């Protein structure tokens, strides 16, 4: 297949390299900043860097828009695509229908459920790729492309993708922030975050292995109200820490949390 | 050294096996339930299971009380220890002074900063052991014992241990609960938790590698109020989920969170 990337950020970086490695032709990489596009092209077999959003004369069949979520609509409005090509975005939060105005093209979503950074290599094979397509032919095309780079391909509509994204905010963005807060609590008292890193690693491994609902420990899970009161006293200096502590503690104490 | 364990739970299980492996003599293991004590003794070289808290005639030099935090005081009141022996507990939250009433004994804390379960093997070498002692001779003794089983030995007083424990509640107990909530959000919509497991693993690896304050992503970190409002609408069915979402989102939006 012949593929072009609109965007040269973290997602484009990993997808383009994985596809290139599997002998797919990456035709162009667009970026507003030619240097960013060129840096990615250096890693690919034979790809042109461009700052031009008019792809009318491109030989690519598939255009992958990999720009920040809130830029997708704007970029789409500025792009010109060749007739009968397929245009997809890579976002978990943006519905398929934002691509509906593209004339004479098939559309879809090609959403890799992972967090990417350029500096960290990843085994793409293990990453779930969630697909959605405007029609059954595009479905088959995207499925074929996804299976070239990974083993775990699934179809979800825009609503399911929203749920996946919300769940990921709790499981990833919020857990990351709790680590930041934990580090601040330690540093405030002159202690080092590295001390609790082995504990964090083991806790997460265990949660994923035996499922988190079976691995809950701590004062709230054993209803130790004495320690909870002590902790809230220690956190009295920060309204934000106290609020988070209380909210999560209440939720652990309440067995019905999160149920519809 | 000759060591006896009061308690046969997860902590005793891992510490006793690690010490036994390093050729320390585990004299006795006490449990209210003889079967639990016997099950641990089976894993050790030559250890007696007991339900008797009168250790007056024991040949052990060090007694390690590894029972749930809120049972330590009660157990200590019921125990009889030989004169001039050393008695320690293994808790992060209980101050050293709860052992102060033990007559004619040295006292200390031997707190392994890790979560243990019997079914999961652990590399004890990497686990920090936090020590506190009533006097300098006991300090040296506990340090020697700790270095037999691990590489990371440190001294912290009871206040520091409380801070470490509070930080661990945020970084481990609370993150585990967020995974539980994330799973519920997915299951409520008929989606599988396993889908986001690769994302969770990668997020945590990255946070520990480049530090969590450098790896925050998500709608709150990019001040995407449109998505935040959408998420709160999706969570409207649960007051508990909405409260947690808002509290952590506010904290991410506020750069000064957690500072004294």
């Amino acid at each position: 297949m012949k593929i072009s990337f609109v965007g040269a950020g973290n997602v484009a970086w990993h997808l383009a390299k994985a596809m290139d490695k599997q002998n797919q032709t990456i035709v162009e990489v667009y970026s507003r900043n030619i240097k960013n596009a060129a840096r990615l092209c250096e890693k690919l077999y034979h790809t042109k860097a461009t700052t031009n959003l008019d792809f009318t004369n491109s030989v690519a069949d598939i255009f992958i828009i990999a720009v920040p979520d809130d830029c997708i609509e704007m970029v789409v409005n500025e792009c010109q695509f060749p007739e009968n090509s397929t245009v997809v975005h890579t976002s978990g939060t943006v519905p398929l229908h934002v691509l509906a105005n593209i004339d004479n093209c098939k559309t879809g979503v090609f959403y890799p459920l992972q967090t990417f950074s350029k500096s960290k290599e990843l085994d793409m094979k293990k990453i779930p790729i969630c697909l959605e397509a405007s029609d059954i032919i595009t479905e088959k095309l995207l499925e074929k492309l996804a299976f070239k780079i990974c083993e775990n391909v699934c179809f979800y509509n825009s609503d399911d993708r929203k749920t996946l994204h919300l769940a990921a905010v709790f499981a990833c963005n919020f857990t990351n922030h709790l680590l930041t807060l934990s580090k601040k609590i330690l540093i405030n008292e002159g202690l080092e975050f590295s001390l609790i890193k082995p504990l964090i690693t083991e806790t997460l491994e265990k949660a994923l292995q035996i499922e988190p609902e079976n691995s809950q420990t701590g004062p709230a899970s054993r209803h130790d109200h004495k320690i909870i009161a002590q902790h809230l006293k220690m956190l009295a200096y920060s309204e934000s820490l106290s609020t988070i502590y209380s909210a999560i503690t209440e939720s652990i104490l309440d067995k019905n949390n999160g149920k519809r």
Side-chain angles (χ1 to χ4, degrees), chain A:
Chain A
M1 294 187 224
K2 298 196 185 74
I3 303 140
S4 286
F5 278 84
V6 181
N10 293 332
V11 175
W13 191 265
H14 284 268
L15 287 183
K17 288 205 296 176
M19 290 173 183
D20 187 74
K21 214 172 161 184
Q22 296 303 321
N23 301 316
Q24 306 307 300
T25 307
I26 313 297
V27 179
E28 299 126 329
V29 172
Y30 160 90
S31 173
R32 270 183 307 185
N33 181 337
I34 193 75
K35 277 186 193 163
N36 290 341
R39 209 169 297 139
L40 173 52
C41 290
E42 275 170 31
K43 305 277 177 187
L44 307 173
Y45 177 64
H46 190 69
T47 305
K48 196 179 86 180
T50 178
T51 56
N52 185 359
L53 283 172
D54 182 355
F55 295 102
T56 323
N57 297 316
S58 171
V59 297
D61 319 301
I62 303 179
F63 294 84
I64 298 180
I65 301 173
V67 298
D69 292 7
D70 48 359
C71 302
I72 293 175
E73 243 179 309
M74 189 191 69
V75 165
V76 165
N77 288 334
E78 293 180 17
C79 278
Q80 302 286 331
F81 298 106
E83 271 192 24
N84 301 319
S85 59
T86 301
V87 181
V88 304
H89 71 64
T90 59
S91 163
T93 59
V94 176
L96 174 58
H97 68 69
V98 302
L99 307 180
N101 290 334
I102 304 173
D103 288 334
N104 304 315
C105 287
K106 310 289 188 182
T107 58
V109 177
F110 195 96
Y111 170 46
L113 196 47
Q114 188 49 286
T115 172
F116 297 104
S117 40
K118 284 175 191 157
S119 59
K120 197 161 180 300
E121 285 300 318
L122 266 176
D123 182 5
M124 282 296 299
K125 285 263 166 263
K126 302 291 171 209
I127 296 169
I129 294 188
C130 304
L131 304 176
E132 187 178 8
S134 59
D135 59 286
I136 196 142
I137 296 167
T138 310
E139 240 179 66
K140 294 288 163 205
L141 181 76
L142 296 181
E143 193 177 22
K144 202 174 147 190
L145 178 61
F147 270 122
K148 298 255 185 226
I149 58 167
C150 93
E151 290 162 356
N152 191 355
V153 178
C154 39
F155 284 89
Y156 289 113
N157 63 28
S158 297
D159 280 345
D160 284 342
R161 261 199 330 280
K162 271 185 195 161
T163 303
L164 280 168
H165 182 251
L166 177 58
V169 166
F170 274 83
C172 300
N173 303 156
F174 286 180
T175 55
N176 184 84
H177 186 61
L178 289 184
L179 299 190
T180 307
L181 296 179
S182 172
K183 183 173 173 174
K184 283 186 180 165
I185 289 168
L186 290 169
I187 287 174
N188 280 342
E189 302 299 325
L191 295 165
E192 276 178 41
F193 183 54
S194 61
L195 262 173
I196 65 164
K197 283 185 177 181
L199 181 59
I200 295 168
T201 303
E202 177 67 16
T203 303
L204 265 292
E205 266 181 31
K206 199 187 283 185
L208 297 182
Q209 196 178 312
I210 65 173
E211 297 300 301
E213 68 275 22
N214 302 321
S215 62
Q216 187 64 54
T217 58
S221 79
R222 59 175 189 271
H223 291 248
D224 190 335
H225 292 282
K226 205 175 122 192
I227 295 287
I228 293 170
Q230 200 183 88
H231 282 168
L232 285 170
K233 212 172 147 189
M234 288 167 78
L235 295 171
Y237 68 90
S238 160
E239 200 191 320
S240 154
L241 288 177
S242 307
T243 306
I244 292 173
Y245 188 96
S246 299
I248 302 182
T249 293
E250 282 301 321
S251 175
I252 297 172
L253 289 168
D254 170 16
K255 291 279 177 206
N256 292 316
N257 54 54
K259 284 209 185 116
R260 267 191 192 280

